[in-house]
Amino acid sequence: GHIFGGPGSGKGTQCEKIVAKYGYTHLSSGDLLRAEVASGSERGKQLQAIMQKGELVPLDTVLDMIKDAMIAKADVSKGYLIDGYPREVKQGEEFEKKIGAPALLLYVDAKAETMVQRLMKRGETSGRADDNEETIKKRLDLYYKATEPVIAYYEKRGIVRKINSELPVDEVFAIVVKAIDELK
Ligand SMILES: Nc1ncnc2c1ncn2[C@H]1C[C@H](O)[C@@H](COP(=O)(O)OP(=O)(O)O)O1
Ligand SMILES: [Mg+2]
């Protein structure tokens, strides 16, 4: 399934707990991209410039990275947890064409102020170039404009489970567990 939500909503935090409990293969598009940047490759340098501006990297680049990572784990995986993708409806359509339809979309929902506060706090230690006030604003704008519409695309199929991420981490996780277990 996919885990979906704004920047700082708590996707990564919940993914860690999901992986510990269910053993799914966690694929964070952001982490894959940041690994490419860290490798120092030419492609990584181009990606870094885009991410630093808070913009979306080209669709095919992210999707190919996810697909490669899925294939690499195909024979050992108990299931995939795709984190931070799709970021726009077009990406969702491409994912379905090239990979398939997700079984579940966990929509980790928090208020804009909450997300900003969490990201500013995370920025104190994360070392992430995009966890600064200016880029956070742009990421939130982009989230509301481009990414949130993705929900409607999946809602039609009845696979969206909205999770209140204003709650403490463990309470959020309890709701997540319920959503996953209902599916099994
Ligand atoms: N339910 C919650 N309550 C309080 N803080 C939370 C929370 N979920 C996550 N956080 C904190 C952990 C991080 O420092 C920050 C952003 O969380 P994250 O998991 O990195 O978000 P995302 O991966 O969606 O960007 O907020
Ligand atoms: Mg994350």
Side-chain angles (χ1 to χ4, degrees):
H2 292 278
I3 185 155
F4 179 94
S9 60
K11 300 180 296 293
T13 303
Q14 294 302 320
C15 282
E16 242 177 69
K17 298 177 80 70
I18 294 169
V19 169
K21 184 171 167 71
Y22 297 95
Y24 297 145
T25 306
H26 176 215
L27 297 175
S28 156
S29 57
D31 289 350
L32 290 170
L33 292 167
R34 284 185 288 276
E36 183 75 35
V37 171
S39 78
S41 69
E42 201 44 52
R43 181 159 82 164
K45 281 177 197 145
Q46 290 163 12
L47 291 172
Q48 183 171 35
I50 297 169
M51 288 160 76
Q52 206 140 23
K53 285 188 272 180
E55 293 170 5
L56 294 178
V57 307
L59 191 153
D60 291 333
T61 311
V62 200
L63 192 55
D64 286 347
M65 290 173 89
I66 292 176
K67 196 173 174 188
D68 290 348
M70 287 177 88
I71 291 168
K73 293 280 166 67
D75 44 349
V76 293
S77 182
K78 295 182 187 168
Y80 297 99
L81 184 59
I82 313 288
D83 168 7
Y85 191 97
R87 287 288 233 270
E88 54 187 353
V89 174
K90 187 98 188 50
Q91 290 187 355
E93 290 166 355
E94 289 299 310
F95 187 93
E96 307 244 329
K97 265 192 238 159
K98 289 198 184 165
I99 296 166
L104 177 68
L105 187 129
L106 293 168
Y107 171 25
V108 178
D109 183 43
K111 289 184 286 195
E113 306 104 79
T114 307
M115 294 195 271
V116 172
Q117 270 170 19
R118 288 179 184 171
L119 290 173
M120 291 298 290
K121 185 106 211 320
R122 186 175 78 181
E124 289 168 14
T125 55
S126 70
R128 277 180 53 165
D130 56 355
D131 280 348
N132 63 76
E133 201 166 0
E134 199 194 328
T135 310
I136 288 169
K137 261 198 207 113
K138 283 191 199 153
R139 287 159 69 202
L140 272 186
D141 274 355
L142 188 63
Y143 169 70
Y144 287 115
K145 255 186 239 141
T147 309
E148 222 186 30
V150 171
I151 291 291
Y153 174 71
Y154 290 106
E155 224 152 36
K156 288 179 222 147
R157 309 196 196 156
I159 62 164
V160 176
R161 296 293 175 271
K162 189 171 174 175
I163 316 282
N164 178 6
S165 190
E166 293 288 332
L167 298 168
V169 171
D170 288 337
E171 291 177 38
V172 177
F173 186 58
I175 311 173
V176 165
V177 165
K178 210 165 153 253
I180 294 175
D181 288 347
E182 266 168 14
L183 189 81
K184 301 210 289 185

